[in-house]
Amino acid sequence: MPGYVDAHVHFWDTSNLHYPWLDDPTPFGARCGLDDYRVATADDSRDLFVVVEADVYHRDTAAEARWVTSMCDGEPDYGGMVVWAPMDLGASAVLRHLDDLGVDGVRGARRIVQWDPPGLCTKPGFVEAVATLGARDLTFDLCLLPRHLDDGPRSGPRG
């Protein structure tokens, strides 16, 4: 396969950060980092990889971003990171959060809404936050379930 961008890679380390989805016994293991990724993709011909936040406990999002950045800094095929952001708190909260992370290489933000009731991502503050990301030339990843599908298209700036 010719080169491509691996746009959705997850790293985690349960010895340093809390990932609620890894609280129960899981086949994924306690840690998955850059070395594990290198082994798994040794025969790959990707041009870049982008790390997506791994649904870390929200108070640990800055620590996760710093950990990923320190692990991947200097890697020629590291294309940056998509971080968690408090989209439901509106544009100013999202911008403050992104500025407070204090890391380079943020390419976008993600908010998992699959556990929330439908309608969250169509609220005015959420839509405003999505538009603000676009104004900063950042992507937005919306993680949802089928019951939210009608909300997805209405969560963008043109709602």
Side-chain angles (χ1 to χ4, degrees), residues 94-130:
V94 169
L95 293 176
R96 189 170 40 256
H97 173 75
L98 294 174
D99 291 342
D100 288 348
L101 289 177
V103 297
D104 292 327
V106 173
R107 301 293 181 244
R110 175 168 102 140
R111 172 63 163 82
I112 296 175
V113 300
Q114 64 193 35
W115 312 123
D116 295 300
L120 174 67
C121 61
T122 62
K123 293 187 178 196
F126 198 108
V127 173
E128 177 190 40
V130 172

Side-chain angles (χ1 to χ4, degrees), residues 11-89:
F11 295 148
W12 61 86
D13 183 354
T14 60
S15 67
N16 292 314
L17 301 167
H18 183 214
Y19 305 84
W21 62 277
L22 288 171
D23 285 348
D24 296 326
T26 175
F28 297 116
R31 185 178 193 284
C32 180
L34 182 59
D35 293 339
D36 302 293
Y37 180 73
R38 291 279 183 229
V39 168
T41 61
D43 296 329
D44 230 351
S45 61
R46 96 199 138 272
D47 293 321
L48 295 172
F49 69 93
V50 177
V51 179
V52 176
E53 65 90 18
D55 200 18
V56 70
Y57 191 66
H58 296 163
R59 72 170 181 237
D60 291 339
T61 57
E64 180 188 45
R66 287 189 303 270
W67 174 64
V68 167
T69 301
S70 69
M71 182 172 39
C72 296
D73 189 39
E75 292 294 319
D77 54 345
Y78 174 58
M81 183 176 186
V82 174
V83 298
W84 175 87
M87 305 302 290
D88 47 317
L89 298 181

